[in-house]
Amino acid sequence: MTLSPERAPATAGTRRLTRTLYASAFCDEFVLLYPVYALLFSDTGLSVWQISSLFALWSLTNVVLEVPSGVWADAVSRRLLLVLGPLLTAAGFALWVLVPSYGAFALGFVLWGAGGALGSGALEALVHDELDRAGAADRYARVMGRARAIGIAATMTAMGLAGPVFDWGGYEAVGAASVLICLVGAAVATRFPEHREPSAAGDGWTATLRAGLAEARTDRSVRGALLLVPAVTAVWGALDEYTPLLVRDTGVAQETVPWLLLVIWAGATVGSLLAGVAERLTTTGFAALLTGSALALAVGAAAGTPVALVLVALAFGGFQLATVLADARLQRRIDDTRRATLTSVAGLGTELGTLVTFGAYTAAATVTGHGTAFAWSAAPYLLTALLLVTVAPTAAAADRARPR
């Protein structure tokens, strides 16, 4: 079988794509404001209620803009959205340090949320389509796994550098560095190759959205892959915010907390790097991965000891791996012209699931403590694994039996 010229492997183009993706992933997460922005809000005089309302506004912005931004990415240049996203985030961070106040913080979160929404769906769609064009679509999970690992490493590096930079120049220095890395990220995004033709002149927003949702309704495999993404991603993505509290409750000294957090995120990094090896997991193997990770989370969190946090690290590694694999399964099943739209629909499900998890976790932790709340958070993963080994085979058999 001979490949057509436009589908022939393009080694140089693939290298450009992956190098740009990895650089972009680093810039997205190497933000020195991440470890200290809550302190900035508090030092400005905001109450706990006001700070919580800012987080809620951030989440609401993501929920409202997630799907429209995905539809837009299918209608116009995906690379354009990847350039605009960091610029909006940079503007938000600049507001925080130039005019620190509740209004500026709120507007900054809206800009940050909008910037994140522009990239959600557009990035996955662009990377998959460019790999597919080069005849390397089977490398998608491996490439995205490495990108996520680089992002986690960038976050950990930013955590280590934020303290010294803050000691040297305060919030202004940390903020300036964060704005600068966003601008660098926008410049890097201009290097993404993009060969698809935007469909704005033909379809329009509503037609693209309707077509994407129709594909999810009529194709059982697409619908299952679409639901799997939030089922895998939402809970552990919300738990991320509470890991410092879990670590502190093991009784370690305050200065030891960051080091143990590095252990947990090292586990997540390893999980990302294993995506290429694990991408051929069957449905049963995927269910086993979720089950093992859920049990490690429950046992490690409930033990309440620093040593047991190694199990939490293993769990986060498993969940990170499952997140990359779930995204890869979705990308394999959806049509190129609606790829960003349906990826953003999955992202919307994740955002809504994260909000539900925040509420459930807060209620549980208030009554039982952080260790028990983390342990109970393993339950949704056990349920997802059970559904994968019971419902999924039945659905597959029904699809095979359906007349063609």
Side-chain angles (χ1 to χ4, degrees):
M1 177 178 179
T2 304
L3 293 174
S4 61
E6 65 270 19
R7 296 282 301 219
T11 305
T14 303
R15 283 200 299 266
R16 174 183 168 185
L17 171 68
T18 54
R19 289 172 180 172
T20 304
L21 174 64
Y22 299 154
S24 178
F26 184 88
C27 292
D28 283 347
E29 301 299 334
F30 186 66
V31 178
L32 301 192
L33 268 173
Y34 283 173
V36 300
Y37 65 72
L39 300 178
L40 170 63
F41 302 158
S42 180
D43 290 347
T44 305
L46 271 59
S47 66
V48 174
W49 180 90
Q50 288 176 309
I51 294 174
S52 297
S53 70
L54 291 174
F55 292 154
L57 178 62
W58 186 23
S59 296
L60 183 61
T61 302
N62 282 304
V63 167
V64 171
L65 297 180
E66 183 73 41
V67 174
S69 67
V71 176
W72 193 21
D74 280 333
V76 300
S77 166
R78 292 164 180 167
R79 179 173 57 198
L80 173 63
L81 269 61
L82 294 175
V83 173
L84 291 177
L87 295 178
L88 292 178
T89 303
F93 290 161
L95 277 175
W96 286 2
V97 294
L98 292 176
V99 283
S101 61
Y102 181 83
F105 296 148
L107 180 55
F109 266 124
V110 170
L111 290 170
W112 188 5
L118 289 180
S120 177
L123 177 65
E124 293 87 350
L126 184 149
V127 171
H128 188 280
D129 284 356
E130 290 300 316
L131 287 174
D132 188 38
R133 181 180 181 277
D138 59 333
R139 294 182 55 196
Y140 177 80
R142 181 182 295 109
V143 168
M144 292 303 291
R146 290 175 180 172
R148 291 174 187 264
I150 289 171
I152 295 172
T155 298
M156 293 190 294
T157 305
M159 290 172 61
L161 290 177
V165 173
F166 180 81
D167 289 340
W168 172 71
Y171 291 119
E172 291 79 7
V174 173
S178 300
V179 170
L180 178 61
I181 198 64
C182 289
L183 297 178
V184 172
V188 167
T190 65
R191 295 288 301 159
F192 273 114
E194 184 178 25
H195 293 88
R196 68 180 285 272
E197 291 295 329
S199 59
D203 296 337
W205 279 36
T206 56
T208 302
L209 179 58
R210 283 198 304 269
L213 296 179
E215 183 179 356
R217 285 196 305 270
T218 57
D219 190 324
R220 193 195 302 264
S221 66
V222 172
R223 187 164 64 250
L226 199 64
L227 293 173
L228 184 62
V229 172
V232 168
T233 309
V235 174
W236 88 275
L239 293 180
D240 161 29
E241 303 295 335
Y242 300 102
T243 49
L245 303 176
L246 175 70
V247 172
R248 189 177 63 184
D249 277 7
T250 63
V252 298
Q254 191 80 3
E255 57 269 21
T256 307
V257 171
W259 296 107
L260 292 177
L261 287 175
L262 290 179
V263 172
I264 293 175
W265 286 107
T269 304
V270 172
S272 287
L273 294 175
L274 290 175
V277 178
E279 62 183 328
R280 296 187 184 277
L281 276 179
T282 63
T283 299
T284 302
F286 194 94
L289 172 64
L290 291 182
T291 300
S293 301
L295 294 176
L297 177 67
V299 174
T305 65
V307 174
L309 292 175
V310 173
L311 290 175
V312 178
L314 289 174
F316 271 44
F319 294 144
Q320 176 67 73
L321 173 58
T323 296
V324 177
L325 295 181
D327 172 51
R329 289 184 176 212
L330 176 63
Q331 300 304 327
R332 286 197 298 268
R333 285 165 170 78
I334 54 183
D335 183 81
D336 291 352
T337 60
R338 297 180 285 272
R339 187 175 304 282
T341 298
L342 287 178
T343 303
S344 288
V345 170
L348 173 62
T350 298
E351 292 290 345
L352 293 174
T354 300
L355 287 174
V356 171
T357 303
F358 281 148
Y361 182 92
T362 301
T366 301
V367 177
T368 64
H370 295 286
T372 304
F374 263 76
W376 276 108
S377 298
Y381 289 106
L382 296 175
L383 176 60
T384 300
L386 179 62
L387 291 174
L388 282 173
V389 296
T390 55
V391 176
T394 303
D399 285 340
R400 288 194 297 268
R402 182 185 306 162
R404 297 184 181 277

